[in-house]
Amino acid sequence: MTTIETESRYRSGVESQRDVVIVRGQGARLWDDAGREYIDCVGGHGTANVGHCHPTVVEAIRRQAGTLIICPTVFGNDVRARLLERLVSLAPGNMGRAYLGNSGTEAVEAALKFARLSTGRPGIVAAKGSFHGRSMGALSATWEPKYRRPYEPLVPGFQHVAYNDLAAMDEAIGEDTAAVILEVVQGEGGVNIGDGDYLCAVQDLCRERGALLIVDEVQTGFGRTGRMFACEHHGLEPDLMPVAKSIAGGVPMGACLIGPRVENLQPGLHGTTFGGNPLACAAALATLDVLEAEDLPAEAERKGRWVIERLRAIDSRLIREVRGLGLMIGIDLRKRVTPYLKALADEGVMALPAGSTVLRLLPPLVISDEDLATVCDAVERVLTA
Ligand SMILES: Cc1ncc(COP(=O)(O)O)c(C=O)c1O
């Protein structure tokens, strides 16, 4: 049996899979099992900001794997302590603590639970078009009906309002609202850019009414949008900030950063066995070193500006709009995106969808200018063919 046949026979079947077997990655390049090379604009769904197998991250993982892999939080650990201190030093505002988990979903789940703990209120307001993960709590905050419906009833107390609509948010935040959860740029929902005035006004409404603001930076964090965190574009100071994806260079990790207004976090109220394991913490420390040493948030801003301008110059009736912030870029098409992803792969470029019509590019931030030009040329050929 081929690799794809073996996977299709034995995997659960709940994930969709393309007919390509990837066996190696380096920087912004991937190789399949036939030795074919691709420029990677999937970026491990936005986890590969420092590039695949960055030597600094690989070396840190190697070293830590020979020292200590697992250490539950019931014990202290030197590497975990260093990472917590480092994360807090990078976070916007006065976020002084962090909870460590293993994925974006877990980071969101922690934020939702901490908001209820802190306020004693049940309500969560989320936005239409949002994606926050697929566990029962995170899924309750996610908008997409096709992900939600098969699992209903979901967690009570959640409602969704139109994104970038301040009047709708004003109406939704009440005395029973524990938190509002928003993305600065909606990723899975179609690369929808949050309006800065709207986001700041929502923060003010939360403060006025005793609700907490959760900004989900799982996809936007760690340089993706041209700042270390997308909150920095607008001076936002969230109370809870879930992060994950590229935090540890591709090793599974998530974290929920916690601001000073969050209360009542007592021992025993939440936890997970693998969260804060030294192997992932070492990978994360090395990833943060690379992000800073190579100034990757600034690189994302410079490269993203060039790519967006280049894509906007493509003359194609298929393109409705090109949107983006940093290297989080969406090309909204007038048709379903799937055949164009396949055509791009045939051109040697891997990209991903966002919703049903948006072609999304999430390349590693280390991608070269030359590779970006090749990607844009391929997109132009595919969308004007
Ligand atoms: C904004 C956002 N939040 C949460 C998640 C869930 O993260 P994970 O897939 O690591 O559980 C994602 C995943 O794409 C995301 O984009």
Side-chain angles (χ1 to χ4, degrees):
M1 275 199 288
T2 64
T3 302
I4 293 288
E5 283 165 356
T6 308
E7 280 210 38
S8 351
R9 173 144 174 203
Y10 295 112
R11 69 195 169 83
S12 67
V14 295
E15 309 103 338
S16 50
Q17 188 168 74
R18 301 188 200 180
D19 192 16
V20 184
V21 178
I22 299 297
V23 294
R24 190 160 74 84
Q26 189 66 58
R29 298 291 176 107
L30 292 172
W31 287 265
D32 71 13
D33 58 350
R36 176 148 193 220
E37 190 171 335
Y38 300 89
I39 301 177
D40 180 21
C41 292
V42 172
H45 283 202
T47 60
N49 287 10
V50 300
H52 295 282
C53 299
H54 193 291
T56 305
V57 178
V58 171
E59 182 48 33
I61 293 170
R62 272 209 185 101
R63 214 177 321 115
Q64 191 60 40
T67 307
L68 184 67
I69 294 175
I70 185 66
C71 172
T73 48
V74 67
F75 302 116
N77 175 260
D78 54 337
V79 192
R80 187 194 302 132
R82 285 212 306 279
L83 177 64
L84 286 167
E85 193 174 30
R86 184 82 173 272
L87 275 178
V88 159
S89 76
L90 292 172
N94 296 316
M95 307 192 102
R97 290 172 290 168
Y99 168 84
L100 299 176
N102 308 287
S103 68
T105 299
E106 276 186 47
V108 166
E109 200 70 35
L112 297 170
K113 289 179 80 174
F114 296 168
R116 283 189 169 177
L117 266 180
S118 179
T119 60
R121 302 172 177 189
I124 306 286
V125 184
K128 293 182 180 173
S130 64
F131 186 88
H132 299 294
R134 301 203 199 214
S135 61
M136 292 300 265
L139 183 60
S140 305
T142 289
W143 162 249
E144 179 56 54
K146 81 170 180 254
Y147 297 153
R148 297 164 58 86
R149 252 186 227 125
Y151 300 102
E152 287 172 348
L154 296 175
V155 178
F158 287 69
Q159 63 174 308
H160 291 86
V161 295
Y163 190 54
N164 279 336
D165 180 340
L166 188 59
M169 190 58 87
D170 189 5
E171 194 151 314
I173 304 174
E175 280 178 359
D176 69 345
T177 306
V180 171
I181 180 165
L182 289 174
E183 295 154 90
V184 175
V185 180
Q186 290 185 331
E188 305 292 315
V191 190
N192 305 316
I193 318 273
D195 175 74
D197 290 342
Y198 163 78
L199 294 166
C200 292
V202 173
Q203 176 169 288
D204 291 344
L205 282 176
C206 287
R207 299 277 195 270
E208 267 167 47
R209 298 181 193 174
L212 299 178
L213 177 66
I214 304 172
V215 176
D216 181 344
E217 292 251 18
V218 167
Q219 190 162 148
T220 50
F222 303 106
R224 171 60 56 194
T225 70
R227 300 279 191 282
M228 186 58 88
F229 297 106
C231 281
E232 295 166 27
H233 288 284
H234 311 299
L236 291 171
E237 296 191 0
D239 299 301
L240 291 155
M241 193 173 88
V243 295
K245 294 238 192 237
S246 73
I247 184 173
V251 174
M253 176 175 252
C256 181
L257 286 143
I258 302 164
R261 295 167 74 235
V262 180
E263 299 171 346
N264 304 327
L265 303 185
Q266 302 298 331
L269 285 178
H270 193 51
T272 170
T273 301
F274 287 118
N277 70 79
L279 188 71
C281 290
L285 280 166
T287 301
L288 295 174
D289 284 346
V290 174
L291 278 164
E292 291 188 323
E294 299 186 15
D295 207 4
L296 291 181
E299 283 292 281
E301 175 159 56
R302 178 182 69 78
K303 292 169 181 170
R305 202 174 297 128
W306 183 85
V307 172
I308 290 167
E309 199 174 310
R310 167 75 180 84
L311 293 175
R312 283 186 178 150
I314 296 175
D315 183 15
S316 164
R317 272 178 300 141
L318 264 175
I319 300 178
R320 202 195 310 264
E321 191 184 22
V322 175
R323 315 186 268 270
L325 197 59
L327 279 175
M328 186 168 178
I329 295 167
I331 308 168
D332 196 355
L333 303 180
R334 293 201 160 81
K335 291 196 172 163
R336 294 184 76 77
V337 67
T338 319
Y340 301 102
L341 294 174
K342 169 86 181 62
L344 262 186
D346 292 342
E347 293 264 353
V349 174
M350 291 297 189
L352 70 167
S356 57
T357 61
V358 177
L359 195 160
R360 185 170 31 150
L361 303 173
L362 294 176
L365 312 183
V366 294
I367 190 169
S368 67
D369 294 353
E370 204 177 31
D371 275 359
L372 282 173
T374 305
V375 168
C376 293
D377 291 347
V379 169
E380 177 158 36
R381 274 195 301 278
V382 162
L383 297 184
T384 54

